[in-house]
Amino acid sequence: MAEALRVGIAGLGTVGASVARVLRDKAAELTRQCGRDIIVSAVSARDRKRDRGIDLSAAKWFDDPMEMAQTGEIDVFVELIGGDEGSARASVKAALEAGRHVVTANKALLAKHGVALAEIAEKKGVLLNYEAAVAGGIPVIKTMREAMAGNSVNRVFGILNGTCNYILTRMEAEGVSFDVVLKDAQRLGYAEADPTFDIEGHDTAHKLSILTSLAFGTKIAANDIYMEGISNITQADIRAAGDLGYRIKLLGVAQRTESGIEQRVHPTMVPTASVIAQVHGVTNAVAIETDILGELLLSGPGAGGNATASAVIGDIADIAKSRPGFQHGPVFGRPAKELKAYKKAQMRSHAGGYFIRLTVHDRIGVFAAIAKRMADNDISLESIVQHAVSGEAAAQKTVILVTHETTEAAVRKAVDGITKDGHLTDKPQVIRIERAG
Ligand SMILES: NC(=O)c1ccc[n+]([C@@H]2O[C@H](COP(=O)([O-])OP(=O)(O)OC[C@H]3O[C@@H](n4cnc5c(N)ncnc54)[C@H](OP(=O)(O)O)[C@@H]3O)[C@@H](O)[C@H]2O)c1
């Protein structure tokens, strides 16, 4: 049997401790599958005394992950620290430069430095595997990088943040407000004490930027993503969406268009009957549309110790099975040096259907004025409905419009016009409608 693969794990938190535990519990099965033993020979974290719920005394302890990255006592450096700078970046770079394979779950690091790190890995002829960085346990990287060779991707989109999907699912099921569900999600540990990163779309954007590069062979451009979070989604939107046959999801979407590539993260209305609309709670899903395959949808657990460990261990097993001296496939599907510059499509030219919810003064002429603004901007309407607002706000009406395909620029101009006309009593709500099968 080949020599054992020696793994060094940096970061022993939720994911790191789970990886160590599964490697121990499944050691015999992994040896059968990989044809060699996989052993945890080194570990690093901040607090050596902390109980990790697993005996790691056989592994050499490193206070400094940089030192562990450079030691000749490991073959694979597994980075599970997190963060786009600091120890995570420095130690991954050092491990690659020292000719060690690297496995990481760190989307923030890859979104910012992925291409530069890929160049080092490819120059050194080592693997940089990152399955767990996008959609946790779902094997989307492997699917896009390996199983879809030869396919040209037209669009990739998905539910990439479990916290947002959990909140939207409960808002719809229980009829309660965003704030109430968020507080509960924080109490249950589904949302961070500072939830901004998740609910405003940053986490989804990091993951989307990696998928975009794999899909279109472009350099990662995480700062060029149009982003709107879910904090302004109300019960009125969720109810109106349901009445119209839609469900609201926070999607990350990357799409090839005539003017470039659209990368956008925003609340989206998807048809209630579509497959992606059935993805509830913390579950993630990624849909990929290609010329040869058609549409593929992968769904499953997007976070959590065990699910994420499953992806990390798959990456380690690939390294265990790889042959010495074998030229590895490129990190982002194409050689890092050949990744094309990312050509951004302007959001103004985005084409699609729109849901627009307006709260207006209940007076004569308002409905006609709204319809005129739409017509003036060449927006054709699929439906326009008005409802009385009951209770204290009886002098107001809600007007809900659904447009046929139009452009972002036209919708913004029409809504600005309606706002200037002085008929609105509240901020207008605009939600894009996404085509989904
Ligand atoms: N949690 C998930 O469900 C999930 C899912 C997908 C991807 N990820 C990614 O996986 C990575 C790890 O996430 P996590 O949830 O496991 O984080 P975590 O629970 O906060 O664990 C982080 C670990 O890193 C260690 N650490 C921090 N700074 C260090 C340093 N300077 N030197 C050495 N060790 C250091 C910590 O040590 P101490 O324990 O001693 O403080 C801790 O063990 C992140 O990149 C995250 O984005 C997580």
Side-chain angles (χ1 to χ4, degrees):
M1 190 158 57
E3 273 181 30
L5 184 80
R6 300 164 306 164
V7 174
I9 304 177
L12 295 168
T14 307
V15 183
S18 291
V19 169
R21 194 174 318 111
V22 178
L23 284 176
R24 180 199 63 190
D25 294 348
K26 298 294 177 83
E29 185 55 29
L30 283 164
T31 301
R32 270 193 294 278
Q33 289 176 359
C34 300
R36 64 199 283 203
D37 292 338
I38 298 174
I39 55 167
V40 178
S41 59
V43 291
S44 176
R46 276 179 304 208
D47 182 354
R48 187 172 186 167
K49 295 202 184 74
R50 182 173 293 172
D51 180 11
R52 316 276 170 185
I54 170 168
D55 178 10
L56 293 165
S57 55
K60 183 167 174 181
W61 175 272
F62 285 85
D63 282 327
D64 183 0
M66 270 295 273
E67 213 184 302
M68 188 174 92
Q70 287 161 324
T71 174
E73 296 168 67
I74 62 167
D75 304 304
V76 185
F77 180 76
V78 181
E79 185 276 307
L80 300 168
I81 296 171
D84 59 7
E85 296 294 344
S87 291
R89 181 188 178 197
S91 59
V92 165
K93 189 164 178 272
L96 294 172
E97 278 168 348
R100 313 259 172 278
H101 299 294
V102 168
V103 174
T104 179
N106 191 337
K107 57 241 159 192
L109 176 69
L110 293 171
K112 197 162 173 190
H113 301 294
V115 177
L117 295 170
E119 280 187 24
I120 304 173
E122 288 166 22
K123 192 167 140 216
K124 291 285 179 182
V126 293
L127 282 159
L128 168 56
N129 286 349
Y130 53 93
E131 186 61 79
V134 182
I138 302 175
V140 61
I141 305 299
K142 203 173 264 205
T143 302
M144 292 185 76
R145 198 163 62 169
E146 295 165 30
M148 296 177 68
N151 281 267
S152 295
V153 178
N154 298 317
R155 182 171 63 142
V156 53
F157 63 99
I159 295 171
L160 301 171
N161 183 273
T163 305
C164 289
N165 207 46
Y166 174 84
I167 292 173
L168 291 172
T169 301
R170 281 197 53 192
M171 282 176 75
E172 184 188 343
E174 297 167 30
V176 283
S177 73
F178 171 84
D179 291 330
V180 168
V181 183
L182 173 62
K183 281 209 180 71
D184 212 35
Q186 287 171 315
R187 187 180 59 78
L188 295 167
Y190 290 128
E192 303 281 342
D194 177 2
T196 318
F197 195 73
D198 288 318
I199 64 171
E200 296 306 341
H202 301 273
D203 176 71
T204 301
H206 279 161
K207 295 167 184 167
L208 181 68
S209 71
I210 296 169
L211 294 181
T212 306
S213 177
L214 280 166
F216 304 113
T218 48
K219 292 202 168 102
I220 296 176
N223 290 334
D224 257 340
I225 298 182
Y226 176 83
M227 214 161 55
E228 272 174 35
I230 61 165
S231 53
N232 70 347
I233 297 296
T234 65
Q235 272 304 320
D237 299 320
I238 288 182
R239 277 196 304 273
D243 291 346
L244 293 161
Y246 292 102
R247 188 164 275 153
I248 301 176
K249 296 287 181 193
L250 183 82
L251 294 188
V253 185
Q255 185 172 5
R256 195 195 291 278
T257 74
E258 277 171 17
S259 59
I261 293 168
E262 273 181 12
Q263 285 193 103
R264 47 194 170 83
V265 173
H266 52 75
T268 305
M269 289 208 183
V270 289
T272 313
S274 63
V275 187
I276 203 152
Q278 318 311 319
V279 176
H280 300 301
V282 292
T283 305
N284 283 18
V286 184
I288 311 159
E289 281 174 9
T290 83
D291 56 348
I292 307 176
L293 178 64
E295 185 173 323
L296 172 77
L297 188 112
L298 302 167
S299 123
N306 270 349
T308 312
S310 166
V312 170
I313 288 166
D315 279 349
I316 297 172
D318 279 348
I319 294 168
K321 287 184 256 181
S322 70
R323 281 169 283 139
F326 178 77
Q327 187 64 40
H328 301 295
V331 176
F332 291 105
R334 285 90 168 166
K337 281 200 177 311
E338 290 173 28
L339 291 172
K340 289 175 280 180
Y342 162 79
K343 182 169 179 243
K344 178 184 178 177
Q346 295 304 317
M347 199 57 200
R348 302 175 46 75
S349 56
H350 167 70
Y354 285 77
F355 161 96
I356 303 164
R357 182 175 58 78
L358 306 170
T359 313
V360 299
H361 292 292
D362 183 11
R363 52 191 184 210
I364 291 165
V366 174
F367 203 66
I370 292 170
K372 183 171 183 314
R373 286 288 182 184
M374 292 289 145
D376 287 350
N377 288 286
D378 292 327
I379 299 172
S380 130
L381 295 176
E382 189 178 299
S383 70
I384 174 164
V385 185
Q386 62 174 336
H387 300 288
V389 177
S390 54
E392 285 172 22
Q396 299 174 31
K397 275 202 155 89
T398 299
V399 179
I400 290 167
L401 306 109
V402 176
T403 77
H404 286 297
E405 182 164 308
T406 178
T407 64
E408 179 90 11
V411 169
R412 285 190 193 171
K413 228 170 132 199
V415 172
D416 282 353
I418 294 165
T419 308
K420 281 194 199 110
D421 289 343
H423 301 310
L424 300 184
T425 61
D426 202 354
K427 269 178 61 182
Q429 177 69 292
V430 175
I431 302 177
R432 295 168 196 85
I433 298 171
E434 193 73 25
R435 187 172 41 78

